[in-house]
Amino acid sequence: MCRVLPVGSCRGETRRPQAAARSEELSPRQELSSLKKFDEIKKANQAAAKKLVEDQLSSSSEDDDEDAEVKQGKILDKTFTIYTSQTDGDASELERTRQYMNEAFQSGAMTCLICIASVKRNQAVWSCCGCFCIFHLVCIQKWAKDSLFLVSSPLTDDDFGKKDYPWPCPKCRFEYKRSETPSKYYCYCGKVENPTVDPWLVPHSCGQICEREFKPSCGHKCLLLCHPGPCPPCPKMVTTTCHCKKAKPVPRRCSAKEWSCRLPCGRTLLCGQHACENPCHAGDCQPCPRVSEQRCICGRQTAERLCASPQWQCDQVCGKCLPCGNHTCEQVCHAGPCGDCPRSGKRSCPCGKTKFTLPCTEDVPTCGDSCDKVLECGIHKCSQRCHRGPCEICRQEVEKQCRCGKHTKRMPCHKPYLCETKCTKIRDCQKHQCRRKCCSGNCPPCDQVCGRTLGCRNHKCPSGCHRGSCNPCPETVDVKCNCGKTVIKVPCGRERTIKPPKCKQLCSRPPTCHHSTQEKHYCHFGRCPPCRQPCQKTLTCGHLCPVSCHDEALVKQTGLHQSAGPWEQPSEPAFIQTALPCPPCEVPIPVECLGQHEVSPLPCHSANPYSCKRFCGRLLECQNHTCMKECHHVTKLSSSADGKKAGPECSQCEEECTKPRPAGCPHRCVLPCHPGDCPPCLQMLKIKCHCKLSVLYIECLKLTCADLKEKELLISCRNQCPKELPCGHRCKEICHSGSCPLNCSQKVKLRCLCKRLKKEVQCSKIQEDQVSLECDALCKEMKRKANEIKEAEAKAALEEEKRRQQAELEAFENRLKGRRKNKRRKDEVEVEQSSWQKYKNLIMLPVFGVAVVMVAWLMVYNE
């Protein structure tokens, strides 16, 4: 087993014993885990290598490209749906937008010109509103920051921050304000911040309707889904008239609503004499092109000139006499009065200190005072006397300081003083010195060429020496396909990483297999994909090989190299290009199974009789069951034998007889499985009678062959039915099936309501309410007397209750009076008995006797 030593073990001999000791201290459990990790790493490396080789050698790249193109087409159609619905399917105005969207889908087509790297789906981007170029958000933020720093660095502290300097787009140089520097990632239409990555949308799109205003603005908004590049022309239909307003309004696209009827314009020109003869046009009419004789401003000369420019001057001096009468007007051809004489009124001497009032014929004299005009130096004044003409140069000697401020010298004021000291300040490029003689400190920009290698790694920066990042390389490079017929232009530096363009030309390489012509496929780099044409070689069976061509199959070699450990880099798997033999013939041949159940198509190389795995299904000798063996060969005993009859190889029937028994017979057939009808059943049946009280033994054949009446008699026990009728009497019929009859013939006694009268009648009539017994006059008289006695008793009880309450009330009042006189004295109240209490015994005894007699008489009568 190999152990990995620490990294520092190879640097000195002193660490080797410690490393060895640590390696020896590994437990068996740690060794097993190390082996397990080694195997896992080995398998992972092998799987990665296999996947890489399959990706490189598989021919599915074209299919993937085709699927990607189909998916891309669906996304474009979804994006353009609303727009094309307004234009009746016309997508001619969408070509420029389609080009931008195709570049967004194509891998490597969108390139950030700042970092010269591809713009991916999951990266934050920013789009210029002038050229619609896509940049990484981080790159454009750094670009804007550097641009603002370079512009504002030459400023002094007093000027810094007073002016909002712009920063330009790296491609179109469109200027943006400092406040417009992007800080967040938005979709193309600017609605959604940080749009999610959706494979069914345009990259960096939110999927909503764009709704940006068209440029130039027409009042409508873009109808496409959020998209890169400029918005297409407005597709809305508006009713508009021509430029000259003569034609009738017609419906036109909003993007092309300005139109000409091609009729003469007819508007009066600025000359006021002629009309515009040009066809209907936009804007103001052109100047009148006709020629006419026109006088100059002073009216002396006449010339043929364009009607559009009637005002012109001749070359003659006016020459009119001014109001002074001594001078003439010296102005060239002019309109209006000439004005006053310029020498009239008060005039000043040459130095301007003294004013004189003189005739216009005399010149103004000098005043004799000093001139005192400020000389060209701006410091000293002219020391001469008042004079005509310009003053002389300043000849006064002064102490002058050079422009850089390091030296002084006494010299004439009018001469500049520049020393020979060279400026050592660093110019704005922060690389080179100024080296200008006597520099004032405001060094000019560096005049050397930058010369730094651009991001493309192919060219050098041609701009003047500067700070910060160089501008992107302006060059473009042609990237061609293998045949050179398809070319795309990419920014310089991207030709090494961008994929070659997809060429629609067919590959012209000769075939390398046994076929005469190669399978048609598009132009590509590398080896051609494996031939997928049918092999069509003749096999031993006479059929043609139908599989794909296998003359140049790639076979992977395994087991050639065993890695020493997980630290060893896995080698690429070796593949050998070799011709494989044709596979077995798979042409379907109809073959019948052994049991002649079915005919199935089998491959030609294995077309032999077979078992279909079904049951044999041939009818056995019992004529009731079939052979349950798996499909097998059956020998025919004679040529005329039926193909559905069992043979000697079929199984023998060992089942019981399963034929249906007669209705009501619960016994099985005593014979084994046999052909024909079963013998009659002679067994005895144990059955309870209808009333369920007796058990009867009946022969099964008699019971199953009897009709309903005979069965009713066979199952009856001949005894009286023990069931009770609804009236409570026992059924009088002999043991029978079903429910008992309801016409009970039992005699019962019927009484009147007061129970004094009674009568014997049939039970069934009482149940049917056909007979009733009413009370007679004696019954009614007895009932009336009983009611009178009850009323007298109730009335006497009521009077007794009133007397008792009156006595209690009087006793209570007497008790209250006695307590006031003497508390110890007790009142004695004597209650007088009522007439009922006195005579109740005399009344109740006869009544009770009469009642006893009537009860005795009723009992005797009922008996």
Side-chain angles (χ1 to χ4, degrees), residues 401-407 417-428 432-446:
Q401 192 177 20
C402 67
R403 188 167 56 185
C404 64
K406 294 182 179 180
H407 304 87
Y417 174 42
L418 299 176
C419 67
E420 297 297 325
T421 304
K422 293 184 178 181
C423 181
T424 59
K425 287 185 178 181
I426 302 297
R427 294 192 178 185
D428 57 353
H432 305 105
Q433 290 182 345
C434 177
R435 307 301 295 170
R436 190 175 61 159
K437 289 183 180 180
C438 195
C439 181
S440 62
N442 189 13
C443 302
C446 186

Side-chain angles (χ1 to χ4, degrees), residues 70-135:
V70 173
K71 180 179 178 181
Q72 177 180 343
K74 291 181 179 179
I75 297 176
L76 292 179
D77 293 340
K78 179 182 177 182
T79 306
F80 297 152
T81 298
I82 302 179
Y83 186 92
T84 52
S85 63
Q86 297 283 338
T87 60
D88 296 333
D90 183 14
S92 59
E93 301 289 347
L94 298 173
E95 292 302 324
R96 188 181 178 192
T97 306
R98 189 187 297 274
Q99 181 180 358
Y100 277 93
M101 297 182 70
N102 288 332
E103 291 179 357
F105 280 110
Q106 186 177 358
S107 176
M110 283 202 309
T111 304
C112 178
L113 297 180
I114 300 175
C115 64
I116 315 299
S118 297
V119 178
K120 299 180 180 179
R121 279 178 172 265
N122 57 351
Q123 292 177 334
V125 297
W126 175 82
S127 175
C128 176
C129 62
C131 61
F132 303 100
C133 188
I134 305 296
F135 303 93

Side-chain angles (χ1 to χ4, degrees), residues 663 690 703-704 706-716:
H690 298 300
L703 187 62
T704 55
D707 56 4
L708 294 177
K709 291 183 178 180
E710 291 177 353
K711 285 182 179 181
E712 182 76 18
L713 296 175
L714 288 174
I715 301 175
S716 177

Side-chain angles (χ1 to χ4, degrees), residues 26-192:
L26 294 174
S27 62
R29 186 174 181 181
Q30 292 177 341
E31 292 180 358
L32 291 175
S33 64
S34 300
L35 284 173
K36 187 176 180 180
K37 290 181 179 179
F38 173 75
D39 293 337
E40 291 177 356
I41 295 173
K42 180 180 177 182
K43 292 180 181 179
N45 291 337
Q46 290 177 354
K50 182 178 179 181
K51 183 178 179 181
L52 178 63
V53 173
E54 289 177 354
D55 293 342
Q56 291 179 350
L57 300 179
S58 65
S59 60
S60 63
S61 59
E62 295 182 2
D63 298 337
D64 295 342
D65 293 342
E66 292 177 1
D67 295 341
E69 290 180 0
V70 173
K71 180 179 178 181
Q72 177 180 343
K74 291 181 179 179
I75 297 176
L76 292 179
D77 293 340
K78 179 182 177 182
T79 306
F80 297 152
T81 298
I82 302 179
Y83 186 92
T84 52
S85 63
Q86 297 283 338
T87 60
D88 296 333
D90 183 14
S92 59
E93 301 289 347
L94 298 173
E95 292 302 324
R96 188 181 178 192
T97 306
R98 189 187 297 274
Q99 181 180 358
Y100 277 93
M101 297 182 70
N102 288 332
E103 291 179 357
F105 280 110
Q106 186 177 358
S107 176
M110 283 202 309
T111 304
C112 178
L113 297 180
I114 300 175
C115 64
I116 315 299
S118 297
V119 178
K120 299 180 180 179
R121 279 178 172 265
N122 57 351
Q123 292 177 334
V125 297
W126 175 82
S127 175
C128 176
C129 62
C131 61
F132 303 100
C133 188
I134 305 296
F135 303 93
H136 292 123
L137 182 62
V138 178
C139 296
I140 198 64
Q141 288 174 344
K142 185 176 182 300
W143 175 272
K145 183 178 179 181
D146 293 345
S147 300
L148 292 173
F149 177 75
L150 292 176
V151 172
S152 59
S153 58
L155 301 177
T156 62
D157 295 338
D158 297 336
D159 296 334
F160 185 79
K162 292 183 178 181
K163 185 177 180 181
D164 187 10
Y165 289 94
W167 57 272
C169 170
K171 183 177 181 181
C172 65
R173 317 307 295 178
F174 183 84
E175 292 186 347
Y176 293 89
K177 297 179 181 179
R178 182 193 296 267
S179 59
E180 294 177 347
T181 303
S183 60
K184 296 181 180 179
Y185 169 39
Y186 288 94
C187 61
Y188 296 114
C189 64
K191 294 180 182 177
V192 179

Side-chain angles (χ1 to χ4, degrees), residues 58-357:
S58 65
S59 60
S60 63
S61 59
E62 295 182 2
D63 298 337
D64 295 342
D65 293 342
E66 292 177 1
D67 295 341
E69 290 180 0
V70 173
K71 180 179 178 181
Q72 177 180 343
K74 291 181 179 179
I75 297 176
L76 292 179
D77 293 340
K78 179 182 177 182
T79 306
F80 297 152
T81 298
I82 302 179
Y83 186 92
T84 52
S85 63
Q86 297 283 338
T87 60
D88 296 333
D90 183 14
S92 59
E93 301 289 347
L94 298 173
E95 292 302 324
R96 188 181 178 192
T97 306
R98 189 187 297 274
Q99 181 180 358
Y100 277 93
M101 297 182 70
N102 288 332
E103 291 179 357
F105 280 110
Q106 186 177 358
S107 176
M110 283 202 309
T111 304
C112 178
L113 297 180
I114 300 175
C115 64
I116 315 299
S118 297
V119 178
K120 299 180 180 179
R121 279 178 172 265
N122 57 351
Q123 292 177 334
V125 297
W126 175 82
S127 175
C128 176
C129 62
C131 61
F132 303 100
C133 188
I134 305 296
F135 303 93
H136 292 123
L137 182 62
V138 178
C139 296
I140 198 64
Q141 288 174 344
K142 185 176 182 300
W143 175 272
K145 183 178 179 181
D146 293 345
S147 300
L148 292 173
F149 177 75
L150 292 176
V151 172
S152 59
S153 58
L155 301 177
T156 62
D157 295 338
D158 297 336
D159 296 334
F160 185 79
K162 292 183 178 181
K163 185 177 180 181
D164 187 10
Y165 289 94
W167 57 272
C169 170
K171 183 177 181 181
C172 65
R173 317 307 295 178
F174 183 84
E175 292 186 347
Y176 293 89
K177 297 179 181 179
R178 182 193 296 267
S179 59
E180 294 177 347
T181 303
S183 60
K184 296 181 180 179
Y185 169 39
Y186 288 94
C187 61
Y188 296 114
C189 64
K191 294 180 182 177
V192 179
E193 181 181 351
N194 296 324
T196 57
V197 179
D198 192 339
W200 287 100
L201 292 177
V202 180
H204 315 293
S205 170
C206 63
Q208 302 179 20
I209 299 177
C210 178
E211 291 187 349
R212 287 183 289 183
E213 291 188 358
F214 289 109
K215 294 183 180 180
S217 179
C218 63
H220 301 126
K221 295 183 180 180
C222 180
L223 301 176
L224 298 182
L225 299 184
C226 182
H227 63 90
C231 296
C234 181
K236 293 286 187 178
M237 298 296 294
V238 295
T239 303
T240 180
T241 185
C242 63
H243 300 297
C244 64
K245 311 297 182 182
K246 292 181 179 180
K248 294 182 179 180
V250 294
R252 292 178 64 86
R253 292 273 170 80
C254 183
S255 57
K257 60 184 177 181
E258 301 291 338
W259 63 285
S260 174
C261 63
R262 298 300 176 184
L263 297 176
C265 177
R267 285 184 285 185
T268 304
L269 299 177
L270 295 178
C271 65
Q273 298 178 2
H274 306 102
C276 179
E277 296 178 356
N278 293 331
C280 177
H281 59 85
D284 296 333
C285 296
Q286 296 180 356
C288 183
R290 296 192 180 187
V291 178
S292 60
E293 289 187 357
Q294 300 178 8
R295 289 182 178 275
C296 64
I297 296 176
C298 63
R300 293 181 181 180
Q301 293 184 5
T302 302
E304 289 187 355
R305 295 180 57 83
L306 291 175
C307 189
S309 57
Q311 300 290 333
W312 65 285
Q313 287 181 326
C314 62
D315 297 334
Q316 295 183 8
V317 179
C318 178
K320 293 181 181 180
C321 185
L322 296 177
C324 66
N326 300 319
H327 301 94
T328 59
C329 180
E330 296 179 358
Q331 297 182 20
V332 181
C333 180
H334 66 88
C338 296
D340 296 333
C341 179
R343 296 171 63 89
S344 62
K346 290 184 179 183
R347 287 179 286 171
S348 299
C349 63
C351 68
K353 293 181 179 179
T354 306
K355 292 186 177 182
F356 299 92
T357 302

Side-chain angles (χ1 to χ4, degrees), residues 14 73 166 235 336 460 582 686 697 794 849:
T14 58
K460 293 185 177 181
C582 293
K686 184 179 179 181
Y697 291 89

